[in-house]
Amino acid sequence: MIKGGNAFVPTVPLRIAVRNGVDVAVLLLTEQGRVRGDGDIVFHGAPVHPSGAVRLLGEESGTVWLEAGLTAVEGEIARVLVVGSTETGSMRDMPGLSVEAFAPDGTSVARYEVTDAGGETAMVLGELYRRAGGWKFRAVGQGYVNGLAGLAKDHGVDVADHAPAAPAQAQPPAPVPFQPPAGAAQAPVPFQAPAPGPQQAPAPAPFQPPAPAPFQPPAPVPFQAPAPAPFQAPAPVPFQPPAGMPPSVPTAAVPQPAPQPAVPQPAPDWTFGPVFEPYTQTGRDGEVITVNGLPPGPVVVDLAVDAKDAYTGLWPLTRFNKEESSLINSTEDNFRGRVIAMVPDNGRLRLRLRADGPWRLQVQPLAAARRLTEADMEGFGPDVLLHTGGTADFAIRYRGSDNLIIYVYELAGHDDPTTLPDVGSSVNEIGRRRETVPLPEGPVVVHLMMADGPWQARLKDLEPHSAGPSYGGGAPATFPEVLPEPGKVQNWLRRGRR
């Protein structure tokens, strides 16, 4: 998977391996891109989330293992970030830096290898996020030169009043292999700091620990498939464990869900257009794709093509099999993108795809598109974004070399879900640039029609919606001030390797 790429993963307990030799933490974020408090930070000092959904399992041979039970993630949580950091050198000094997710039967379902790390000391390696009633994994690779403090601040952790004290020559305790609790739903294990002696300082200086005792993995937890399962399982495949996987990963054949998401449920603040089960088709090279039984009106077409030095094109076909204006026209390697297509009144969408390699296409309801917030959002290629709050400015930084075309559709007062209104404002530029587009109150569709390259976007100056805070989130969410417990978040931000 390349940086910015994404793919559906089965909604089951996943084992995630982070390589190679970095400290690992997990942040559980709300739709606003923020933690709700210290409990949403899972790290060596608090290895189990209060919900039991996320656990750090331990480290073996430079690989840190964690478990993410997607069926147990609380409804308030929209994203699960996997974070890596180092206190010696920078991320570019970590060869083989990667993150990989495994299904319960040991099948690799997503893998991202970081190839462009720089002088950062902390990085969001990847994330699991909700999409269309299921979960997706995204290869993020966003680094922070200002380290964990900058990363934490960007995600709602208040670190301003907790600057680390100057370290003294203190001897840290001998490392103890992590023994995770037997049940995934147990409360997190608080970090127990050593009793301070006359020569000890509040925070230990970084040190190189002695050779740790062999990692003792937790007892295997039998996989309990959700009922009813959102996926249909094909015949199980005998598990061939990857090198270095802890023996606690179940080796029995467990039904492997197919990557078909359940029927998506629209958020309460998005009511434009019907919701239906996504349609998925895979293939290779050129094809004419027909989808019957769709509700008339705008839908999202999500396309991924694995091919280099190749052309990717997508056109809707009329009932006379004539090509209409192209939806996708790209020469990018390994194309990834989402565009809007219009389903005719007969509910039959026909698309002509031109590709040189394997591809995966999914037709999704408009409600499945990503939501804009004040948190940074990254992408690569065209995309469909939704805005549901009050007036705001849409700020985008585009780092591609070709066209950047953005259309904005204002849906307030538009009562026909089978059509889109006229374009309210647009951008049509070429090459690397920064643009800011004023947005009216939601609901609004922001369609990045062409964006062949990486981009980063967010909302600025977001105002409450005139319909009240219950619509579209209204004013940005507020979070009560939390006094961090001693030895918890502060230790994550200023700890030595443990």
Side-chain angles (χ1 to χ4, degrees):
M1 185 177 290
I2 63 172
K3 183 175 181 179
N6 63 83
F8 276 101
V9 295
T11 307
V12 296
L14 300 179
R15 293 289 176 97
I16 299 175
V18 180
R19 310 175 180 95
N20 192 14
V22 294
D23 295 309
V24 176
V26 181
L27 273 61
L28 287 81
L29 309 180
T30 64
E31 188 70 42
Q32 288 74 33
R34 299 169 63 96
V35 298
R36 298 167 298 179
D38 294 353
D40 286 340
I41 304 171
V42 178
F43 68 112
H44 64 85
V48 184
H49 189 262
S51 67
V54 177
R55 299 186 297 159
L56 281 180
L57 301 180
E59 178 180 356
E60 184 178 33
S61 302
T63 298
V64 176
W65 289 89
L66 59 97
E67 183 175 79
L70 298 183
T71 57
V73 175
E74 299 161 291
E76 293 179 72
I77 299 302
R79 299 162 58 199
V80 178
L81 268 57
V82 179
V83 173
S85 63
T86 179
E87 290 189 334
T88 57
S90 61
M91 302 304 282
R92 71 160 65 94
D93 302 320
M94 300 295 165
L97 179 61
S98 67
V99 56
E100 186 169 8
F102 297 89
D105 66 351
T107 302
S108 176
V109 296
R111 186 177 189 277
Y112 168 50
E113 183 174 352
V114 180
T115 59
D116 59 350
E120 312 95 333
T121 57
M123 177 179 287
V124 178
L125 300 171
E127 68 170 339
L128 295 160
Y129 62 100
R130 297 183 188 272
R131 177 58 56 86
W135 286 86
K136 272 191 166 186
F137 175 87
R138 189 192 337 269
V140 179
Q142 180 181 357
Y144 288 79
V145 177
N146 51 353
L148 286 176
L151 188 152
K153 185 177 179 181
D154 272 7
H155 296 96
V157 181
D158 185 3
V159 298
D161 299 327
H162 305 291
Q169 296 299 321
Q171 295 299 323
V176 179
F178 166 58
Q179 298 293 338
Q186 295 183 15
V189 180
F191 171 74
Q192 298 295 329
Q199 300 300 322
Q200 288 183 320
F207 71 101
Q208 295 297 324
F215 168 60
Q216 298 298 325
V221 179
F223 168 61
Q224 299 295 328
F231 303 97
Q232 298 298 320
V237 180
F239 167 50
Q240 296 295 328
M245 176 175 282
S248 62
V249 177
T251 57
V254 178
Q256 169 64 25
Q260 177 64 31
V263 178
Q265 297 299 321
D269 57 359
W270 187 264
T271 58
F272 184 84
V275 175
F276 55 89
E277 182 174 356
Y279 169 88
T280 303
Q281 183 172 332
T282 59
R284 186 179 182 89
D285 303 334
E287 183 64 273
V288 173
I289 300 161
T290 302
V291 188
N292 292 307
L294 292 172
V299 295
V300 176
V301 176
D302 189 333
L303 177 64
V305 180
D306 291 326
K308 293 186 176 181
D309 300 323
Y311 171 78
T312 301
L314 186 69
W315 297 264
L317 296 175
T318 70
R319 64 190 183 95
F320 301 109
N321 271 354
K322 301 295 184 181
E323 293 179 0
E324 297 186 296
S325 298
S326 64
L327 301 177
I328 294 172
N329 183 22
S330 175
T331 57
E332 288 293 314
D333 291 346
N334 298 315
F335 174 86
R336 302 290 188 274
R338 303 177 191 87
V339 294
I340 293 178
M342 299 299 296
V343 178
D345 291 339
N346 62 6
R348 190 169 187 253
L349 177 64
R350 283 174 52 81
L351 302 169
R352 183 194 175 194
L353 172 64
R354 179 178 170 186
D356 296 307
W359 50 265
R360 178 182 183 274
L361 181 143
Q362 186 172 71
V363 180
Q364 305 169 348
L366 198 59
R370 287 200 284 174
R371 302 301 178 89
L372 283 166
T373 69
E374 291 179 293
D376 285 336
M377 171 188 293
E378 290 192 341
F380 192 105
D383 211 332
V384 182
L385 311 174
L386 307 182
H387 168 53
T388 58
T391 59
D393 294 332
F394 171 69
I396 183 170
R397 179 185 180 188
Y398 175 60
R399 298 192 295 277
S401 57
D402 294 326
N403 291 75
L404 171 66
I405 300 178
I406 303 173
Y407 287 168
V408 176
Y409 298 98
E410 182 179 355
L411 299 181
H414 184 75
D415 299 326
D416 182 4
T418 66
T419 64
L420 284 174
D422 294 336
V423 175
S425 59
S426 64
V427 172
N428 190 343
E429 301 290 348
I430 298 178
R432 301 167 66 99
R433 63 188 301 105
R434 297 174 185 264
E435 289 286 343
T436 301
V437 180
L439 298 182
E441 288 190 329
V444 170
V445 176
V446 179
H447 186 193
L448 278 63
M449 279 195 61
M450 292 189 66
D452 280 354
W455 51 265
Q456 188 177 56
R458 69 182 183 93
L459 295 180
K460 300 192 305 182
D461 296 328
L462 175 62
E463 294 292 328
H465 200 285
S466 62
S470 62
Y471 187 93
T478 58
F479 297 84
E481 182 178 357
V482 177
L483 297 178
E485 302 172 16
K488 197 173 181 186
V489 174
Q490 298 93 325
N491 284 338
W492 173 55
L493 296 172
R494 64 170 188 242
R495 79 277 176 269
R497 289 291 308 279
R498 290 175 171 81

